[in-house]
mmCIF file of all heavy atoms in Angstrom:
data_model
loop_
_atom_site.group_PDB
_atom_site.id
_atom_site.type_symbol
_atom_site.label_atom_id
_atom_site.label_comp_id
_atom_site.label_asym_id
_atom_site.label_seq_id
_atom_site.Cartn_x
_atom_site.Cartn_y
_atom_site.Cartn_z
ATOM 1 N N SER A 1121 -17.727 19.211 17.561
ATOM 2 C CA SER A 1121 -18.636 18.448 18.417
ATOM 3 C C SER A 1121 -18.084 18.450 19.826
ATOM 4 O O SER A 1121 -16.875 18.509 20.050
ATOM 5 C CB SER A 1121 -18.821 17.010 17.906
ATOM 6 O OG SER A 1121 -17.628 16.251 18.064
ATOM 7 N N TYR A 1122 -19.009 18.390 20.794
ATOM 8 C CA TYR A 1122 -18.618 18.494 22.205
ATOM 9 C C TYR A 1122 -19.504 17.596 23.045
ATOM 10 O O TYR A 1122 -20.733 17.672 22.980
ATOM 11 C CB TYR A 1122 -18.751 19.946 22.672
ATOM 12 C CG TYR A 1122 -18.442 20.187 24.136
ATOM 13 C CD1 TYR A 1122 -17.510 19.415 24.820
ATOM 14 C CD2 TYR A 1122 -19.081 21.209 24.845
ATOM 15 C CE1 TYR A 1122 -17.222 19.649 26.155
ATOM 16 C CE2 TYR A 1122 -18.801 21.454 26.182
ATOM 17 C CZ TYR A 1122 -17.876 20.665 26.837
ATOM 18 O OH TYR A 1122 -17.594 20.891 28.153
ATOM 19 N N SER A 1123 -18.863 16.739 23.837
ATOM 20 C CA SER A 1123 -19.582 15.883 24.774
ATOM 21 C C SER A 1123 -19.057 16.153 26.171
ATOM 22 O O SER A 1123 -17.853 16.079 26.420
ATOM 23 C CB SER A 1123 -19.388 14.402 24.415
ATOM 24 O OG SER A 1123 -19.903 13.569 25.434
ATOM 25 N N LEU A 1124 -19.955 16.494 27.084
ATOM 26 C CA LEU A 1124 -19.585 16.762 28.473
ATOM 27 C C LEU A 1124 -20.342 15.819 29.388
ATOM 28 O O LEU A 1124 -21.571 15.755 29.354
ATOM 29 C CB LEU A 1124 -19.919 18.215 28.843
ATOM 30 C CG LEU A 1124 -19.841 18.554 30.340
ATOM 31 C CD1 LEU A 1124 -18.412 18.396 30.856
ATOM 32 C CD2 LEU A 1124 -20.354 19.965 30.597
ATOM 33 N N TRP A 1125 -19.596 15.100 30.211
ATOM 34 C CA TRP A 1125 -20.185 14.242 31.252
ATOM 35 C C TRP A 1125 -19.657 14.738 32.581
ATOM 36 O O TRP A 1125 -18.517 14.489 32.956
ATOM 37 C CB TRP A 1125 -19.815 12.775 31.030
ATOM 38 C CG TRP A 1125 -20.513 12.167 29.872
ATOM 39 C CD1 TRP A 1125 -20.253 12.368 28.548
ATOM 40 C CD2 TRP A 1125 -21.618 11.260 29.928
ATOM 41 N NE1 TRP A 1125 -21.121 11.649 27.767
ATOM 42 C CE2 TRP A 1125 -21.973 10.954 28.582
ATOM 43 C CE3 TRP A 1125 -22.339 10.677 30.964
ATOM 44 C CZ2 TRP A 1125 -23.018 10.094 28.281
ATOM 45 C CZ3 TRP A 1125 -23.380 9.812 30.656
ATOM 46 C CH2 TRP A 1125 -23.702 9.528 29.321
ATOM 47 N N ASP A 1126 -20.472 15.490 33.301
ATOM 48 C CA ASP A 1126 -20.108 16.044 34.596
ATOM 49 C C ASP A 1126 -20.806 15.219 35.668
ATOM 50 O O ASP A 1126 -22.005 15.356 35.888
ATOM 51 C CB ASP A 1126 -20.545 17.513 34.663
ATOM 52 C CG ASP A 1126 -20.016 18.200 35.912
ATOM 53 O OD1 ASP A 1126 -19.619 17.487 36.862
ATOM 54 O OD2 ASP A 1126 -20.008 19.440 35.940
ATOM 55 N N VAL A 1127 -20.060 14.342 36.300
ATOM 56 C CA VAL A 1127 -20.651 13.407 37.270
ATOM 57 C C VAL A 1127 -20.078 13.644 38.670
ATOM 58 O O VAL A 1127 -19.956 12.727 39.476
ATOM 59 C CB VAL A 1127 -20.409 11.943 36.845
ATOM 60 C CG1 VAL A 1127 -21.204 11.622 35.606
ATOM 61 C CG2 VAL A 1127 -18.918 11.676 36.596
ATOM 62 N N ARG A 1128 -19.733 14.907 38.955
ATOM 63 C CA ARG A 1128 -19.204 15.223 40.283
ATOM 64 C C ARG A 1128 -20.311 15.185 41.332
ATOM 65 O O ARG A 1128 -21.476 15.355 41.031
ATOM 66 C CB ARG A 1128 -18.562 16.617 40.270
ATOM 67 C CG ARG A 1128 -17.284 16.699 39.453
ATOM 68 C CD ARG A 1128 -16.870 18.141 39.283
ATOM 69 N NE ARG A 1128 -17.797 18.844 38.408
ATOM 70 C CZ ARG A 1128 -17.896 20.174 38.369
ATOM 71 N NH1 ARG A 1128 -17.166 20.909 39.166
ATOM 72 N NH2 ARG A 1128 -18.739 20.742 37.531
ATOM 73 N N ASN A 1129 -19.887 15.024 42.579
ATOM 74 C CA ASN A 1129 -20.790 15.100 43.728
ATOM 75 C C ASN A 1129 -20.332 16.265 44.595
ATOM 76 O O ASN A 1129 -19.306 16.179 45.272
ATOM 77 C CB ASN A 1129 -20.756 13.805 44.547
ATOM 78 C CG ASN A 1129 -21.294 12.635 43.761
ATOM 79 O OD1 ASN A 1129 -22.355 12.723 43.171
ATOM 80 N ND2 ASN A 1129 -20.552 11.537 43.740
ATOM 81 N N PHE A 1130 -21.052 17.370 44.522
ATOM 82 C CA PHE A 1130 -20.677 18.506 45.343
ATOM 83 C C PHE A 1130 -21.876 19.424 45.518
ATOM 84 O O PHE A 1130 -22.832 19.386 44.755
ATOM 85 C CB PHE A 1130 -19.512 19.284 44.738
ATOM 86 C CG PHE A 1130 -19.820 19.942 43.421
ATOM 87 C CD1 PHE A 1130 -20.368 21.218 43.373
ATOM 88 C CD2 PHE A 1130 -19.573 19.282 42.228
ATOM 89 C CE1 PHE A 1130 -20.649 21.827 42.159
ATOM 90 C CE2 PHE A 1130 -19.852 19.887 41.016
ATOM 91 C CZ PHE A 1130 -20.389 21.159 40.986
ATOM 92 N N ASP A 1131 -21.781 20.263 46.526
ATOM 93 C CA ASP A 1131 -22.778 21.297 46.771
ATOM 94 C C ASP A 1131 -22.272 22.605 46.182
ATOM 95 O O ASP A 1131 -21.072 22.866 46.155
ATOM 96 C CB ASP A 1131 -23.028 21.481 48.276
ATOM 97 C CG ASP A 1131 -23.613 20.224 48.896
ATOM 98 O OD1 ASP A 1131 -24.417 19.569 48.198
ATOM 99 O OD2 ASP A 1131 -23.247 19.901 50.037
ATOM 100 N N GLU A 1132 -23.208 23.410 45.713
ATOM 101 C CA GLU A 1132 -22.823 24.685 45.125
ATOM 102 C C GLU A 1132 -22.022 25.500 46.141
ATOM 103 O O GLU A 1132 -22.373 25.619 47.303
ATOM 104 C CB GLU A 1132 -24.075 25.463 44.707
ATOM 105 C CG GLU A 1132 -23.739 26.701 43.911
ATOM 106 C CD GLU A 1132 -24.981 27.333 43.326
ATOM 107 O OE1 GLU A 1132 -26.080 26.988 43.797
ATOM 108 O OE2 GLU A 1132 -24.865 28.157 42.419
ATOM 109 N N GLY A 1133 -20.915 26.056 45.657
ATOM 110 C CA GLY A 1133 -20.059 26.853 46.516
ATOM 111 C C GLY A 1133 -18.933 26.060 47.146
ATOM 112 O O GLY A 1133 -18.058 26.620 47.792
ATOM 113 N N SER A 1134 -18.919 24.738 46.946
ATOM 114 C CA SER A 1134 -17.852 23.936 47.522
ATOM 115 C C SER A 1134 -16.587 24.100 46.699
ATOM 116 O O SER A 1134 -16.572 24.624 45.605
ATOM 117 C CB SER A 1134 -18.274 22.450 47.566
ATOM 118 O OG SER A 1134 -18.263 21.906 46.262
#
Side-chain angles (χ1 to χ4, degrees):
S1121 69
Y1122 177 31
S1123 171
L1124 168 64
W1125 288 75
D1126 188 342
V1127 291
R1128 291 169 291 161
N1129 295 311
F1130 65 88
D1131 296 324
E1132 188 171 16
S1134 73

